[in-house]
Amino acid sequence: MAAKLQGGGGGAAVMAVVVVAMVAGAASGGNFYEECDATWEPQNCWSSDNGKSLSLALVSNSSGSMIRSKRQFVYGSVSTSVQLVPGNSAGTVTTFYTSSLGDKHDEIDFEFLGNETGQPYTIHTNVYANGVGDKEMQFKPWFDPTDGSHNYTISWTPCRIVWYIDGTPIRVFRNYQSSNGVAFPTWQPMYAYSSIWAAEDWATQKGRVKTDWSKAPFVANYHGIDLDVCECYGGDCVYGCAAAFNQGGGCAGQQLTGDEMGQMKWVQDNFRIYDYCVDYKRFNGQMAPELSLLLVVFTAAAAVVGLAGASFRDECDIPWEPQNARFTDDGNGLSLSLVSNYSGCMLRTKKQFIFGSVSTLIQLVPGNSAGTVTTYYTSSVGDNHDEIDFEFLGNETGQPYTIHTNIYANGVGDKEMQFKPWFNPTDGYHNYTVSWTACMIVWYIDGTPIRVFRNYEKSNGVAFPMKRPMYGYSSIWAAEDWATQGGRVKADWSKAPFVANYRGLNINVCECSTTSGGGNSCAAKCASTYNSKSSACQLSDSELARMRKVQDEYRIYNYCVDPKRYNGSVPVECSLPQ
C-alpha cells in the first residue's frame, strides 16, 4: 500500500548546534518516509514497502517532484538505488544530489538526462563550490539503468569527492583550495535531494528532441536511502566534522585503492563522453586550472599527453585510402571501410610516443567477415621496426572472430597469442587498450588484461621495444589468403563494403618524436616517467586472476607451446615469468 510523503515545512528547522558534530549513519536501505520530506509537488511523490521505496512522477512541463533529507550534514556518504524512467524519457531529468541553501551554494550532482527509446541515458556529474559550477563530466551507462535498480553514491570528505555507481568509482574531484585556490565545498551544510523535472529545452541531444507528453506521467523509482554523514547545521560543528573525517591518516588514508583506480580508469576510458577539463574551446584554448595539477611536462621533447575521448579528426591522419574513412559525432566516431581486395583504409595518430597507453572502442564488421582483418596497434616506422598488435580476424557468419596479438622488436615478431572472444564483438562497442611501459606490455579488453609481455632484454637478451617512437594505428584490410581458417574461407565481396566502427580515442602517452630532435633523450625521460608508477611493472592480484581466467578458457594459440614450430624447443622468454 502506497503512502504519500509529508510536505516539509523547511525540513528539520535550523538547530543551534554548539561545538557538536555527530556522525549519523542510517541503516542500509533506510526509510524515505522517516528520513525525508517532500518539498515540491508532494502529490507526485509516494512511498511503498513501508517507506523503503519511493516513486517520483513528472506529470507535466511544470509539475515534477522533489524530496529532501530532514537532516543537514557536512561530509559523509549518501546513496540510493534508482530505476530510471523506461522507454521514451526524452526531455526528463532524474536526480540524486546534495546541496546547501542560499546564495553561493555548494552542490554535488548526479543527474540522469533522458533520451529517445533505444538511446542511452547521459549520466551528468557536476560540483558547485561558492555558487560556481561548470565542472561537468558525463558518461554513457555500461548497463541498462531502466532495467532494475542501480546504486548511486556520493562520498564527500575534506580531501575529495567521489561519485560511485554500483560500487565502482567513476570520478574524483580533489580539494586543492588551500594549495591552488580551486574552490571546494568545505563549510556549508548540505541536504540530500532526489527529484524529477522537465528540461526539454536542453536535456536530450541539446534540446533537439522534445518530451512526448502523451507518455506522462514519467516515473522514477528509488529504493533505500543511506545517509552515513556528519550531522551539522552550521557553526562550530563544521570543524568537528572535518576533524572526524580527517582521522585515520588524513588525506593519505582516503586514497582510492589500486583496484578502484583501475575500475575508474576503465569507466573513464570506455564510457566518459564529456570532460570539461579537455574542452579547450570552452576555456578559450586554456585548460581548467585544476587540470594543470594533474599533468607532468618534461623538457627535451618528452611530455606526458593525456587526451580522454580525443577526436579522431583532430588527432589523426589518414595515410591510406582516405575516401574509405568517415568521421561521425564531431570527429569522436570513425568508420573504416574495406571496399575491395585492394582498397581498405588506415588511420594514424599525428603524435609519436614512447610508453603510455592507447585505447579505443571498436564495433567489428558484423555478419560474414571472412577474409577481413580489422586492427588497432602501435608501430614505429622504418627498418627493424617495433610494433604491438591487436588484429581481429574475421570469420563466416555465426563463427567467432579470432583476436590475434603479437609484438615486434627490432623487426622481429613471431610472438603470436590468439583468443576467441567471450562476447560478441560486433554487437555494440568494446574497449581495446595497449599499455606499454619500460617493464612490460599489457593487452586489455574491456579493462581485463589478456596478455603480458615482460622486458627481459638486459637480463636474458629478449628484444623489447625501448627506443623507437611509435604511432597509434587503426585499419581494415583484406587477407583472405590466410586470415580465416588458414585461408580456406575467402571473402564474399558481394557483401562489401565491410565496415568497422570506432568510438573515442584515448591517448595517455609520453610524447617523443623522431622529427623533434628528442632522440634518446626523450626516450630516457619517458622510461623514467613510466617506471615511477607503481602499476608500471606489476598487475594487481585481481588483474592477474582475470587474465588467468581468460587465458585458461579463451586462449586458442600460444607460440610458447608450439614445439613443432621451434623444432622441439621454445624461445627464451617462454621459460621466464610473464
Side-chain angles (χ1 to χ4, degrees):
M1 180 175 178
K4 294 287 186 181
L5 279 183
Q6 299 293 324
V14 178
M15 294 174 55
V17 180
V18 182
V19 200
V20 173
M22 181 176 68
V23 176
S28 178
N31 191 303
F32 288 102
Y33 196 78
E34 295 173 355
E35 289 286 345
C36 303
D37 292 317
T39 55
W40 178 50
E41 302 283 52
Q43 73 277 9
N44 296 335
C45 168
W46 61 93
S47 63
S48 57
D49 191 19
N50 294 320
K52 292 181 179 179
S53 297
L54 172 77
S55 296
L56 299 181
L58 173 63
V59 177
S60 71
N61 198 32
S62 57
S63 182
S65 189
M66 176 187 289
I67 66 163
R68 186 179 77 181
S69 64
K70 294 179 178 179
R71 293 182 285 165
Q72 285 180 284
F73 51 89
V74 173
Y75 305 129
S77 68
V78 295
S79 73
T80 191
S81 294
V82 189
Q83 182 179 25
L84 297 178
V85 176
N88 189 345
S89 57
T92 71
V93 178
T94 305
T95 76
F96 179 62
Y97 66 103
T98 68
S99 181
S100 63
L101 301 175
D103 296 333
K104 297 186 176 180
H105 77 296
D106 297 338
E107 185 175 327
I108 308 167
D109 292 337
F110 265 119
E111 295 182 341
F112 308 97
L113 313 184
N115 215 329
E116 298 174 286
T117 300
Q119 297 300 311
Y121 268 78
T122 294
I123 300 172
H124 176 97
T125 67
N126 202 356
V127 54
Y128 288 75
N130 300 329
V132 179
D134 299 331
K135 295 176 172 61
E136 302 92 343
M137 193 177 287
Q138 294 181 333
F139 305 82
K140 294 296 185 192
W142 53 100
F143 51 90
D144 182 354
T146 71
D147 183 16
S149 296
H150 292 267
N151 180 269
Y152 303 91
T153 298
I154 294 169
S155 174
W156 171 37
T157 76
C159 302
R160 85 290 188 270
I161 298 163
V162 188
W163 291 255
Y164 293 87
I165 298 179
D166 289 334
T168 294
I170 65 168
R171 179 184 180 184
V172 172
F173 187 84
R174 294 197 172 278
N175 183 356
Y176 289 113
Q177 184 163 288
S178 59
S179 60
N180 297 87
V182 180
F184 187 89
T186 57
W187 63 275
Q188 298 190 75
M190 298 210 214
Y191 292 100
Y193 292 82
S194 297
S195 66
I196 187 170
W197 41 282
E200 63 181 357
D201 56 330
W202 66 270
T204 303
Q205 300 177 35
K206 298 180 180 180
R208 292 190 294 272
V209 180
K210 305 300 183 183
T211 305
D212 181 355
W213 290 108
S214 70
K215 300 292 194 298
F218 301 96
V219 180
N221 296 304
Y222 295 72
H223 183 77
I225 177 75
D226 300 304
L227 304 174
D228 188 5
V229 297
C230 188
E231 191 169 349
C232 178
Y233 299 85
D236 289 336
C237 66
V238 171
Y239 304 106
C241 288
F245 278 89
N246 273 333
Q247 292 176 355
C251 291
Q254 297 178 29
Q255 301 289 336
L256 297 184
T257 67
D259 281 352
E260 287 177 319
M261 290 291 288
Q263 292 166 2
M264 183 170 70
K265 182 181 183 302
W266 177 76
V267 171
Q268 294 191 356
D269 284 351
N270 295 319
F271 301 101
R272 182 171 56 187
I273 58 173
Y274 178 80
D275 181 359
Y276 78 106
C277 279
V278 292
D279 190 347
Y280 302 114
K281 293 180 182 178
R282 177 177 176 182
F283 297 102
N284 298 317
Q286 304 297 313
M287 66 178 67
E290 51 271 26
L291 180 62
S292 64
L293 304 171
L294 306 177
L295 296 181
V296 182
V297 179
F298 296 89
T299 59
V304 174
V305 178
L307 296 171
S311 166
F312 288 102
R313 180 186 286 124
D314 294 340
E315 293 298 325
C316 301
D317 295 316
I318 307 174
W320 180 48
E321 301 284 54
Q323 74 276 8
N324 295 336
R326 183 172 66 91
F327 295 110
T328 59
D329 191 21
D330 295 326
N332 292 316
L334 170 73
S335 296
L336 299 182
S337 294
L338 174 61
V339 177
S340 72
N341 200 27
Y342 307 102
S343 183
C345 195
M346 176 189 288
L347 175 133
R348 186 179 78 178
T349 59
K350 294 178 180 178
K351 293 182 174 66
Q352 286 179 285
F353 52 89
I354 290 185
F355 307 129
S357 69
V358 292
S359 71
T360 192
L361 293 159
I362 309 176
Q363 183 179 29
L364 295 178
V365 177
N368 189 346
S369 58
T372 72
V373 179
T374 304
T375 76
Y376 182 63
Y377 65 103
T378 68
S379 181
S380 64
V381 294
D383 296 334
N384 297 325
H385 78 295
D386 298 336
E387 184 175 329
I388 308 167
D389 293 339
F390 264 119
E391 295 182 342
F392 308 97
L393 314 184
N395 214 330
E396 298 174 287
T397 300
Q399 297 300 311
Y401 268 78
T402 295
I403 300 173
H404 177 96
T405 66
N406 201 358
I407 176 176
Y408 288 76
N410 301 331
V412 178
D414 298 332
K415 295 176 172 59
E416 303 92 344
M417 194 177 287
Q418 296 181 333
F419 304 82
K420 293 296 184 191
W422 52 99
F423 52 89
N424 182 353
T426 72
D427 183 16
Y429 290 85
H430 292 269
N431 179 271
Y432 304 91
T433 299
V434 172
S435 174
W436 171 35
T437 73
C439 298
M440 64 181 185
I441 296 163
V442 188
W443 292 254
Y444 291 87
I445 298 178
D446 290 335
T448 293
I450 65 168
R451 179 185 181 183
V452 171
F453 188 86
R454 291 197 171 276
N455 183 357
Y456 287 113
E457 185 159 3
K458 280 189 176 181
S459 60
N460 298 87
V462 180
F464 188 89
M466 285 290 291
K467 296 180 179 179
R468 295 180 180 86
M470 298 210 212
Y471 293 99
Y473 291 83
S474 298
S475 67
I476 187 170
W477 41 283
E480 60 181 357
D481 56 330
W482 66 270
T484 304
Q485 300 177 35
R488 292 189 296 274
V489 180
K490 307 298 183 182
D492 180 356
W493 292 107
S494 70
K495 300 293 194 298
F498 302 98
V499 181
N501 296 305
Y502 296 71
R503 189 176 73 194
L505 175 65
N506 297 285
I507 307 173
N508 185 11
V509 297
C510 190
E511 189 173 357
C512 182
S513 173
T514 54
T515 61
S516 64
N520 290 335
S521 177
C522 69
K525 290 184 181 294
C526 289
S528 175
T529 301
Y530 278 90
N531 276 344
S532 67
K533 299 181 179 182
S534 61
S535 61
C537 298
Q538 184 60 50
L539 298 183
S540 69
D541 290 343
S542 173
E543 288 176 316
L544 284 167
R546 298 202 307 270
M547 183 172 71
R548 288 191 194 102
K549 178 178 175 61
V550 169
Q551 293 191 354
D552 287 347
E553 298 181 13
Y554 301 100
R555 184 168 58 187
I556 57 173
Y557 179 79
N558 180 6
Y559 77 107
C560 279
V561 292
D562 190 349
K564 292 181 181 178
R565 179 177 179 179
Y566 300 103
N567 297 319
S569 62
V570 293
V572 173
E573 65 271 17
C574 295
S575 62
L576 300 171
Q578 297 288 348

